[in-house]
């Protein structure tokens, strides 16, 4: 391993003294077998037209084993896409409970509007009592108005008589 010149200090640039002859064996050791031939073909210009499709990208040329965890692009037909397009989505427990609560509330409001719940029956009974009381008060007001009118009419008749007597 090449040594650096001087002490290495934090933040300072490190300079390594390595000869290019020392680097070539390391580079050749890192290359896959048969890559020397490809480099020679590219340099001489004798490469074929199908080279782009057969040439491995990245590490694919180095490793022959397929990784089962690696996602492969699968070709699907249009008919399969339509059936897979709308997968059934499962709701979480909280979402299911919230939907159930909303449905129960709507059902309860509908029954209450029809008067089939205990609360609705109590409300209707209360309303009936209030209506009766209002009707009784309206009759009392009507009777008091009639009494006031009769009293006025009798006093105006009496006042007319008294003035005529003088």
């Amino acid at each position: 391993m090449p040594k650096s010149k001087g002490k290495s200090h934090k933040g300072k640039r490190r300079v390594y003294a390595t000869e290019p002859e020392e680097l070539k064996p390391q580079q050749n050791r890192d290359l896959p077998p048969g890559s020397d031939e490809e480099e020679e073909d590219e340099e001489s210009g004798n490469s074929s037209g199908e080279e782009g499709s057969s040439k491995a990208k990245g590490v694919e040329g180095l490793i022959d084993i397929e990784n089962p965890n690696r996602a492969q692009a699968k070709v699907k037909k249009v008919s399969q896409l339509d059936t897979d397009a709308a997968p059934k989505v499962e709701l979480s427990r909280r979402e299911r409970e919230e939907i159930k609560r909303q449905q129960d509330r709507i059902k309860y409001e509908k029954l209450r509007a029809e008067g089939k719940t205990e609360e609705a029956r109590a409300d209707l009974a209360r309303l009936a009592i209030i209506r009766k009381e209002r009707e009784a008060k309206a009759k009392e007001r009507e009777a008091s108005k009639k009494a006031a009118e009769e009293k006025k009419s009798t006093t105006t008749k009496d006042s007319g008589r008294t003035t005529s007597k003088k």
Side-chain angles (χ1 to χ4, degrees), residues 51-95:
E51 187 179 53
S53 63
S54 65
K55 191 172 184 181
K57 295 181 181 178
V59 206
E60 290 178 5
L62 299 175
I63 303 171
D64 294 333
I65 301 169
E66 287 189 31
N67 184 356
N69 296 328
R70 186 174 177 195
Q72 298 289 332
K74 295 181 180 179
V75 179
K76 290 187 177 183
K77 295 181 181 177
V78 176
S79 59
Q80 291 175 339
L81 288 176
D82 292 338
T83 57
D84 295 341
K88 188 173 182 179
V89 178
E90 288 192 29
L91 301 174
S92 68
R93 178 186 56 84
R94 289 183 181 173
E95 290 171 339

